[in-house]
């Protein structure tokens, strides 16, 4: 038995994403994340992850057209969402709505590559609509039909605001955040998706498995916890005493540490920069400054680096996005990576079924109820 948690275990061969934890490098299909964050768009990255190469102009236009015309949700799913409890967590609502989509997709059980690619397009296009509708519906606002134009980031912010066109800075900031979160090799949610896909279950079921795993605070749920911590700290001066209390209580500082990166998470670099820029634009750099202070202190005291979730928290906060939508936004992006991995798994499949080392009791003898209490007493 190794270190537990499958640490350092190579569980699949994949041509999608390479994480070099020592050098702090992240590569999508051969392209460095720094290049993609600087020059690319989320849609271009989706094409890259699904096809292994950057699109030509017409290939990108083709994908854009498919994504834009797939944004609307089946009316029955919208009606069902209106019946969800108002206080449902957005990740619960997302998980449930995505599961419902399969019942309204005639191809849900089709397993050929083309049908699965169509499901990848639909889910990538529809998840942002679900996330925006979750927020509109719980606030008793009318749902806004998606536009069949513009980028996924632009349309999401448009729907979320109830129908106001977002500014370019907000759109580009979200677009970069989506690029940075799109894939990350065998992270917990992607592994969950691949384990499910390897049973040859349908595309939707594999996606629901991934959403369930992403929700956890040790994975995608961390970004929400980061901003809650910053709000609790309240001021730059409170950072140190607050952290000292957390350290004394052996609490984890959300947004820090990583199973693979032993150095800076390359995604944090871009989000840190964005957090600063958005703060300066808004004339409110407090969240950035507090984040810097937390980062300095956690690095100094614990030797831990910020991960992707740490600075995405202040970025989304500066974009005015409700806190409990941070993890669903992560899902909006990671859907592209999950899809790439599900397709790759189907293309070269073998059931994923590891073993457990048995460490329990052996050679127990069955006894009737009357004798169990006596046994229990004797064992005390
Ligand atoms: N704050 C304080 N201490 C930490 C943190 C943290 N964020 N992360 C790790 N440590 C400590 C652990 O307490 C442990 O110390 P110990 O050896 O004295 O017991 C040591 O560092 C090793 O930590 P593990 O939890 O064993 O590391 P693992 O590789 O299993 O976990 C993980 C990685 C889950 C990311 C962890 O660092 C963590 O819980 N971080 C906070 C949650 C978070 O930010 N998750 C998002 C990760 S990125 C993503 O999923 C998108």
């Amino acid at each position: 038995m190794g270190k537990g948690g499958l640490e350092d275990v190579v569980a699949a061969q994949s041509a999608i994403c390479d994480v070099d934890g020592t050098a702090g490098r992240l590569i999508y299909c051969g392209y460095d994340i720094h290049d993609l964050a600087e020059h690319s768009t989320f849609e271009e990255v989706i094409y890259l992850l699904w096809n292994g190469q950057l699109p030509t102009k017409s290939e990108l236009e083709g994908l854009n057209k498919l994504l834009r015309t797939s944004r609307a949700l089946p009316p029955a799913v919208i009606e069902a969402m209106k019946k969800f409890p108002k206080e449902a967590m957005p990740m619960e609502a997302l998980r449930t709505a995505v599961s419902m989509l399969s019942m309204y997709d005639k191809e849900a059980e089709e397993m050929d590559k083309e049908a699965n690619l169509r499901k990848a397009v639909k889910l990538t296009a529809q998840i942002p609509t679900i996330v925006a509708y979750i927020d509109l519906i719980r606030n008793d606002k009318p749902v806004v039909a998606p536009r069949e134009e513009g980028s996924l980031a632009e349309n999401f912010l448009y729907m979320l605001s109830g129908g106001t066109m977002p500014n370019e800075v907000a759109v580009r900031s979200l677009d970069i955040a989506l690029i940075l979160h799109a894939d990350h090799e065998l992270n917990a949610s992607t592994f969950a998706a691949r384990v499910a896909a390897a049973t040859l279950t349908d595309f939707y079921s594999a996606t629901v498995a991934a959403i369930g795993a992403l929700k956890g605070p040790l994975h995608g749920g961390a970004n929400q916890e980061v901003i809650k911590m910053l709000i609790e700290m309240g001021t730059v001066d409170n950072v140190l005493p607050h952290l000292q209390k957390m350290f004394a209580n052996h609490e984890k500082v959300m947004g820090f540490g990583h199973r693979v990166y032993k150095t800076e998470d390359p995604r944090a670099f871009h989000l840190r920069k964005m957090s600063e820029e958005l703060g300066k634009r808004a004339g409110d750099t407090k969240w950035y400054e507090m984040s810097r202070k937390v980062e300095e202190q956690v690095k100094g005291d614990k030797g831990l680096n910020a991960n992707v979730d740490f600075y995405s928290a202040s970025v989304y906060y500066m974009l005015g996005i409700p806190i409990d939508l941070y993890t669903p936004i992560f899902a909006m992006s990671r859907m592209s990576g999950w899809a790439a991995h599900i397709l790759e798994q189907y293309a070269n499949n073998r059931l994923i079924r590891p073993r457990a080392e048995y460490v329990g009791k052996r050679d127990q003898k069955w006894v009737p109820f009357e004798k169990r209490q006596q046994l229990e007493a004797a064992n005390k």
Side-chain angles (χ1 to χ4, degrees):
M1 182 72 193
K3 290 172 260 187
L6 298 181
E7 182 166 349
D8 292 335
V9 171
V10 174
Q13 285 195 324
S14 175
I16 301 167
C17 180
D18 186 24
V19 180
D20 182 337
T22 314
R25 288 191 75 198
L26 170 58
I27 310 288
Y28 295 168
C29 305
Y31 293 89
D32 195 296
I33 194 67
H34 293 308
D35 261 358
L36 295 170
E38 206 165 316
H39 304 295
S40 213
T41 62
F42 180 48
E43 282 77 0
E44 196 173 56
V45 166
I46 296 172
Y47 188 99
L48 174 66
L49 293 173
W50 295 355
N51 297 282
Q53 59 192 44
L54 286 173
T56 62
K57 201 158 180 284
S58 69
E59 284 166 339
L60 182 60
E61 275 165 14
L63 177 65
N64 268 332
K65 188 161 179 237
L66 288 174
L67 286 168
R68 287 173 184 159
T69 52
S70 304
R71 289 172 177 165
L73 301 182
V77 172
I78 303 175
E79 286 316 304
M81 287 176 69
K82 288 181 180 166
K83 296 194 179 79
F84 290 173
K86 285 260 155 54
E87 60 284 1
M89 283 170 71
M91 282 302 280
E92 291 177 290
L94 174 65
R95 189 188 60 212
T96 307
V98 167
S99 186
M100 285 193 71
L101 285 178
S102 80
M103 293 187 277
Y104 298 94
D105 183 345
K106 289 194 176 68
E107 292 190 313
E109 295 294 324
E110 296 289 328
M111 289 302 278
D112 65 277
K113 189 177 171 206
E114 291 309 312
N116 278 325
L117 259 171
R118 283 193 288 276
K119 282 174 250 180
V121 166
K122 278 185 246 182
L123 277 161
T124 306
Q126 288 173 332
I127 285 180
T129 312
I130 294 175
V131 178
Y133 285 10
I134 287 169
D135 196 57
L136 293 172
I137 291 170
R138 70 178 169 173
N139 288 307
D140 295 318
K141 293 185 182 158
V143 299
V144 176
R147 296 172 77 239
E148 289 194 359
E149 282 169 60
S151 67
L152 184 147
E154 179 190 86
N155 179 63
F156 170 70
L157 291 172
Y158 162 80
M159 290 188 295
L160 185 65
S161 70
T164 306
M165 284 305 287
N167 66 55
E168 268 176 41
V169 174
V171 173
R172 181 60 187 151
S173 302
L174 181 59
D175 202 56
I176 296 174
L178 296 175
I179 293 172
L180 297 172
H181 287 82
D183 197 45
H184 212 233
E185 198 222 53
L186 278 199
N187 60 90
S189 57
T190 303
F191 188 50
R194 287 190 80 129
V195 170
T199 69
L200 294 184
T201 191
D202 69 286
F203 204 104
Y204 287 95
S205 299
T207 303
V208 173
I211 293 173
L214 185 74
K215 175 172 166 285
L218 294 188
H219 188 13
N223 54 13
Q224 308 186 174
E225 301 308 316
V226 170
I227 200 70
K228 286 185 201 159
M229 176 185 74
L230 293 177
I231 291 170
E232 229 180 286
M233 288 171 168
T235 63
V236 175
D237 287 345
N238 270 344
V239 167
L240 191 53
H242 192 106
L243 280 178
Q244 279 168 341
K245 217 159 78 190
M246 288 181 78
F247 293 157
N249 293 335
H250 303 288
E251 284 175 52
K252 278 192 168 176
V253 188
M254 291 295 151
F256 285 88
H258 199 274
R259 175 61 66 76
V260 183
Y261 291 121
K262 302 302 167 215
T263 178
E264 170 153 308
D265 180 334
R267 304 167 296 179
F269 168 81
H270 295 276
L271 291 159
R272 185 190 296 113
K273 201 166 83 175
M274 218 189 292
S275 168
E276 183 178 17
E277 281 167 10
L278 288 171
K280 280 185 179 156
R281 268 179 182 274
D284 177 12
T285 51
K286 173 179 148 180
W287 303 102
Y288 169 73
E289 282 163 28
M290 282 174 66
S291 302
R292 284 297 284 166
K293 185 89 187 158
V294 172
E295 189 181 19
E296 230 177 78
Q297 210 60 43
V298 177
K299 176 86 184 157
D301 281 24
K302 297 276 170 190
L304 292 166
N305 292 293
N307 59 46
V308 70
D309 283 320
F310 187 65
Y311 279 101
S312 62
S314 48
V315 164
Y316 296 152
Y317 197 71
M318 293 311 299
L319 290 176
I321 292 169
I323 293 170
D324 56 5
L325 295 191
Y326 295 6
T327 312
I329 288 174
F330 193 154
M332 266 164 52
S333 163
R334 187 56 59 86
M335 183 63 234
S336 59
W338 293 333
H341 283 268
I342 294 168
L343 293 167
E344 191 180 58
Q345 185 67 40
Y346 284 152
N348 187 15
N349 188 56
R350 188 154 188 240
L351 181 75
I352 298 173
R353 201 295 188 196
R355 294 296 315 269
E357 178 191 2
Y358 181 70
V359 295
K361 295 176 185 171
R362 293 189 189 273
D363 302 328
Q364 299 286 296
K365 292 270 177 289
W366 188 89
V367 287
F369 283 123
E370 328 54 278
K371 292 204 174 158
R372 286 183 207 172
Q373 272 173 346
Q374 293 164 17
L375 270 179
E376 242 175 59
N379 283 337
K380 272 186 185 158

